[in-house]
Amino acid sequence: MDHLQKLENRSIHILREAYSQFNNLCMLWSIGKDSTVMLWLARKAFFGHVPLPLVHIDTNYQIPEMIEHRDNLAMEWELDMIYGENGQALETKSTFPDGNLNRIQCCKQLKSEALRNTLNGSWPRYRINHDSGKYEVEKDSEPYTGVIVGVRADEEGSRSKERYFSPRDQNNDWDIGEQPPEFWDQYKTDFAPGTHVRIHPLLDWTELDIWEYIEREKIPMVSLYFDQGDGKRYRSLGCAPCTSPVESDAKNVKDIIEELKTGKFSNIAERSGREQDKEDGGGLEELRKDGYM
């Protein structure tokens, strides 16, 4: 059994364990490489059918190709696709692109608040209708008690502090010091009523693992990850006003793997193109304590 097979086996085990332990579970899909690999693993874990809804938090500022890719795969793979958004912040222009908030405040509004209220059912959810290909307001507002998230421990510092099964309180707030230990592959899945649990099947994967798995499985990726001829590509995807591409001439998955193996980015953070990470020192960890994905 090779390295990727071991990673795949562990992730599939965690996905199946989560599905068996939590009644109302969903999976976050950011449309990026990690959560798309996680979605692929879920299809494998459940024999081609993902038996839980995919939830995307739409900030309305994500790069348009991402939304197009989301909807194309939702239709092709027959996904139960749902999105949520902070309609009030968008309507009142309480955002960074409108000049009324800084980037951290904007992330709290368009991502953390939207995520919290989409998961707990307080705000409208929009579910795709596979007959029309359009989204409709969902009638079911039952809270999700658990959410599967495609974060990796090596991506940035605050994510390395996560557990496979990481509890949050009713407000999605994260107390890093109160997480249960996970020794010898023993996972705690029995939490007090009202606990919101995030499940992280990809914690052990590295950026290189992800791309090698994408190549092996031939997983479709949004074209933004590849150089389109201008010597640049996105290494991490996010909102258009706050995300920049890196200098790279990698035009396909194989090129990206070779590029990573050269060590070109070994001293450059994977999220170096995400401007919100650079604000306020430990801004991202503070965002994550407050519910940011």
Side-chain angles (χ1 to χ4, degrees), residues 29-228:
W29 186 26
S30 70
I31 318 161
K33 61 187 184 301
D34 302 324
S35 60
T36 303
V37 163
M38 187 173 66
L39 171 56
W40 185 269
L41 289 164
R43 297 176 80 219
K44 278 198 161 187
F46 302 107
F47 308 103
H49 169 65
V50 182
L52 65 167
L54 275 292
V55 174
H56 176 234
I57 300 304
D58 193 342
T59 65
N60 287 240
Y61 287 104
Q62 280 135 342
I63 305 169
E65 288 94 322
M66 297 170 64
I67 304 302
E68 182 180 356
H69 187 72
R70 177 194 73 185
D71 293 343
N72 287 341
L73 277 192
M75 294 297 289
E76 182 181 347
W77 290 355
E78 298 183 342
L79 303 173
D80 182 9
M81 190 71 229
I82 290 171
Y83 80 82
E85 63 183 11
N86 189 338
Q88 183 177 5
L90 294 167
E91 183 177 345
T92 59
K93 300 187 182 303
S94 300
T95 71
F96 169 74
D98 287 307
N100 296 319
L101 298 178
N102 65 34
R103 288 189 170 92
I104 295 294
Q105 292 168 334
C106 186
C107 280
K108 287 183 178 179
Q109 287 294 315
L110 298 188
K111 296 180 179 177
S112 303
E113 285 297 316
L115 176 64
R116 177 183 298 116
N117 289 289
T118 297
L119 294 180
N120 67 25
S122 298
W123 289 357
R125 301 169 179 155
Y126 303 88
R127 184 186 297 268
I128 198 166
N129 180 325
H130 282 270
D131 292 329
S132 65
K134 306 294 184 183
Y135 285 86
E136 300 172 350
V137 176
E138 183 186 31
K139 296 179 181 178
D140 180 10
S141 60
E142 186 176 354
Y144 294 115
T145 55
V147 56
I148 302 173
V149 187
V151 306
R152 304 186 340 260
D154 79 321
E155 188 178 359
E156 55 83 31
S158 67
R159 286 172 166 84
S160 68
K161 302 172 184 177
E162 291 282 8
R163 301 287 190 267
Y164 297 110
F165 291 85
S166 180
R168 262 68 169 174
D169 68 15
Q170 291 179 330
N171 296 317
N172 265 1
D173 292 338
W174 182 34
D175 187 340
I176 296 174
E178 291 298 320
Q179 297 184 105
E182 291 179 329
F183 297 131
W184 304 290
D185 293 341
Q186 300 297 309
Y187 314 127
K188 177 176 172 55
T189 57
D190 182 18
F191 296 101
T195 304
H196 174 79
V197 181
R198 292 192 178 186
I199 300 109
H200 305 109
L202 301 184
L203 271 190
D204 298 327
W205 295 61
T206 67
E207 183 182 11
L208 180 59
D209 293 332
I210 289 291
W211 282 112
E212 288 185 329
Y213 190 73
I214 290 168
E215 181 187 47
R216 192 180 80 172
E217 299 288 312
K218 298 181 174 53
I219 303 172
M221 286 291 126
V222 63
S223 61
L224 295 164
Y225 281 119
F226 311 113
D227 172 26
Q228 304 294 317

